[in-house]
Amino acid sequence: MPTNGSSRRFVIVDDSTIREAKDRKQDNRPRKRQRVDSDDEDAKAKDASTFTYSFQNVDKPMSLVRDPVYYSDDSSATCIIRVGGSLFKIHHELLSCCPFMVEELHNHRGLTSDKNPLRFVVPTEEEFRAFLWALYATTEALAEAPTEHAHLERLFHIAFMTEKYDIPLLEEWVTSAIHSAATDTIFMDSCSSATLAHFIDTATRLRYDYTKTLAVVAKKWCDRLLNKSTPSVPAIQAADKHDLLELRGVAYYVHVQDMLDRQTTVMDKGATQLCADPKLSKGQVLRLLSGHWSLVSLWERLRLKPILLPMGSTCTADVHSRCRATWERRWTSAAGWKRILGLSSADVLALLDCLRDQLSGDEDLKAGINSDCRLAGLEALKGLKEKTKEGLADHFFECL
């Protein structure tokens, strides 16, 4: 029998209902909040946010568009391909150039259609359009030289397709076509700085070795910089980005000359203030200043100490000592020529050209030394200019 102090466990409601009894005091007793560690709360919050993010980013059905050019109306074009949000309808035999695409088509379930297309997720729509252009193009069209930036951009898209898929014949053709574009003087002369920079950016990203093509583009850009037919700042940025030494040296060198001509202000008391291009970083401005100092120092050394005169084939050791003395005397005189004094001391290439012109027409030099020695000296001066041009990048260094 139950005792008076015991509580009931079950309550009979009626003949068919029995429920568990609850102690009134226990029901009314305030319950403590279950302890939860802060880490657990953070984890729950993170889980909740992750769930919400996932829910919000569920792929929505994409509205597919038939490509206006490469969705063929030809009844013999039966292969429908989806790339991104575009549908392409082409002749399936064109895919034979790429083993992977042939295999994908072979393994595709059922016939391809707008609702059941063969799907390629690796290429972009632009790359695939360029790829189809190459497959459908005539031999004459493939051999045409580029005439505008869009043509070059299409070649780049094709090159990226050959990086993503194994297409040997197309890779060989596009590599040659890109190099031909780089060597086309008329086309390269028409390219803006942005196009030249894009050319270099793309060529450095490609897996295939475009070293020779990069060298051609950089050389062409250097020539245009020296001819003052293109601005120097974009070239500086491209050269620094990809560590192209030749382009860096020429671009910084040309900018130093422009800076002295157009970006300086002489104050009343003689100070010269520099207004740096805002597109250049502080590090690049520092390189310009260090380069200016180095170039001026180089010219001061050359002005005061002539280069050694080589001995000509018809000269003798005894006579050559007199040739050298005359060479040094005329060199010092020519370095003080009015035309040379009118040039900036940092414009070393122009100074060396001007000095060579002066010495080649110097009558006292012609009369005072062996003719072969004179020619050898002028040739050595020409070689010094080329050596200086090749080493321009060495002048533009970051201070330690």
Side-chain angles (χ1 to χ4, degrees):
M1 289 183 63
T3 62
N4 293 333
S6 63
S7 60
R8 292 177 300 170
R9 186 173 181 182
F10 297 100
V11 176
I12 300 175
V13 179
D14 52 37
D15 292 340
S16 61
T17 305
I18 300 175
R19 63 177 174 81
E20 186 176 7
K22 293 183 179 180
D23 187 87
R24 181 174 297 178
K25 292 181 180 181
Q26 186 178 11
D27 288 342
N28 295 333
R29 184 177 59 200
R31 297 180 181 180
K32 293 183 179 180
R33 179 177 179 269
Q34 184 179 0
R35 181 179 177 182
V36 180
D37 291 340
S38 60
D39 290 344
D40 293 337
E41 290 182 339
D42 292 342
K44 288 182 179 180
K46 183 177 181 182
D47 290 342
S49 64
T50 302
F51 175 79
T52 303
Y53 177 83
S54 300
F55 178 77
Q56 292 176 347
N57 286 273
V58 173
D59 288 340
K60 297 180 180 179
M62 180 180 291
S63 178
L64 302 179
V65 178
R66 292 180 174 183
D67 188 83
V69 177
Y70 295 109
Y71 192 97
S72 177
D73 293 332
D74 189 345
S75 59
S76 62
T78 57
C79 182
I80 299 178
I81 300 171
R82 174 185 172 183
V83 177
S86 296
L87 292 173
F88 303 86
K89 186 180 179 186
I90 66 170
H91 300 82
H92 71 273
E93 57 267 21
L94 291 176
L95 300 181
S96 61
C97 65
C98 178
F100 175 83
M101 293 182 181
V102 172
E103 183 178 357
E104 288 292 295
L105 180 60
H106 178 73
N107 294 333
H108 187 72
R109 292 185 178 181
L111 297 175
T112 60
S113 65
D114 284 13
K115 294 184 178 180
N116 183 35
L118 178 64
R119 187 174 184 183
F120 295 134
V121 298
V122 175
T124 65
E125 294 177 40
E126 292 78 9
E127 290 169 353
F128 198 72
R129 287 191 188 95
F131 168 66
L132 294 180
W133 173 86
L135 297 185
Y136 277 108
T138 63
T139 304
E140 292 75 15
L142 294 175
E144 286 181 0
T147 56
E148 55 187 15
H149 173 70
H151 191 164
L152 182 64
E153 189 68 20
R154 184 167 58 199
L155 292 178
F156 290 151
H157 287 318
I158 296 171
F160 280 118
M161 275 295 291
T162 64
E163 298 263 302
K164 297 174 179 179
Y165 296 98
D166 183 23
I167 317 174
L169 290 178
L170 194 58
E171 181 177 37
E172 182 179 345
W173 170 80
V174 76
T175 302
S176 176
I178 290 175
H179 187 75
S180 296
T183 56
D184 188 324
T185 302
I186 296 176
F187 174 70
M188 293 300 289
D189 283 342
S190 69
C191 289
S192 65
S193 295
T195 300
L196 293 173
H198 181 58
F199 203 136
I200 289 177
D201 285 341
T202 305
T204 54
R205 287 167 53 202
L206 291 168
R207 177 187 62 196
Y208 192 84
D209 187 6
Y210 281 88
T211 303
K212 293 182 179 179
T213 302
L214 278 172
V216 171
V217 176
K219 176 66 167 58
K220 183 61 184 177
W221 206 344
C222 287
D223 292 342
R224 290 184 58 182
L225 286 166
L226 293 171
N227 292 332
K228 307 291 185 180
S229 63
T230 191
S232 54
V233 171
I236 288 175
Q237 294 170 332
D240 283 345
K241 180 179 180 180
H242 300 290
D243 198 24
L244 302 175
L245 293 182
E246 181 184 9
L247 181 59
R248 174 186 290 163
V250 173
Y252 273 93
Y253 177 83
V254 170
H255 193 78
V256 163
Q257 315 314 320
D258 294 340
M259 181 178 69
L260 296 174
D261 291 340
R262 298 192 294 269
Q263 293 180 268
T264 55
T265 302
V266 179
M267 308 304 290
D268 293 340
K269 296 182 179 180
T272 301
Q273 292 187 346
L274 168 65
C275 181
D277 192 297
K279 293 185 288 295
L280 297 177
S281 67
K282 290 183 178 179
Q284 289 170 327
V285 173
L286 186 60
R287 273 185 174 173
L288 286 167
L289 297 177
S290 66
H292 178 270
W293 173 80
S294 181
L295 290 167
V296 170
S297 298
L298 172 61
W299 173 245
E300 287 301 309
R301 292 194 302 272
L302 290 173
R303 183 178 66 83
L304 298 174
K305 187 178 180 180
I307 61 173
L308 186 65
L309 178 69
M311 187 170 69
S313 58
T314 59
C315 191
T316 62
D318 293 339
V319 174
H320 191 61
S321 62
R322 295 194 297 272
C323 291
R324 283 191 301 184
T326 303
W327 169 262
E328 292 174 359
R329 186 172 62 255
R330 299 313 303 162
W331 175 291
T332 303
S333 175
W337 188 37
K338 183 178 180 180
R339 182 182 167 193
I340 289 181
L341 293 176
L343 295 173
S344 165
S345 296
D347 197 357
V348 177
L349 298 183
L351 287 165
L352 291 174
D353 268 342
C354 193
L355 179 61
R356 186 171 183 273
D357 288 345
Q358 178 66 8
L359 289 174
S360 64
D362 191 294
E363 295 298 329
D364 289 342
L365 187 64
K366 292 178 182 179
I369 68 173
N370 178 280
S371 59
D372 287 341
C373 290
R374 172 179 167 276
L375 293 176
L378 295 175
E379 192 64 27
L381 188 50
K382 180 181 178 181
L384 175 61
K385 181 201 169 183
E386 292 304 315
K387 181 181 178 181
T388 303
K389 182 180 175 182
E390 292 173 2
L392 282 176
D394 294 340
H395 294 276
F396 300 94
F397 55 88
E398 295 180 2
C399 296
L400 300 178

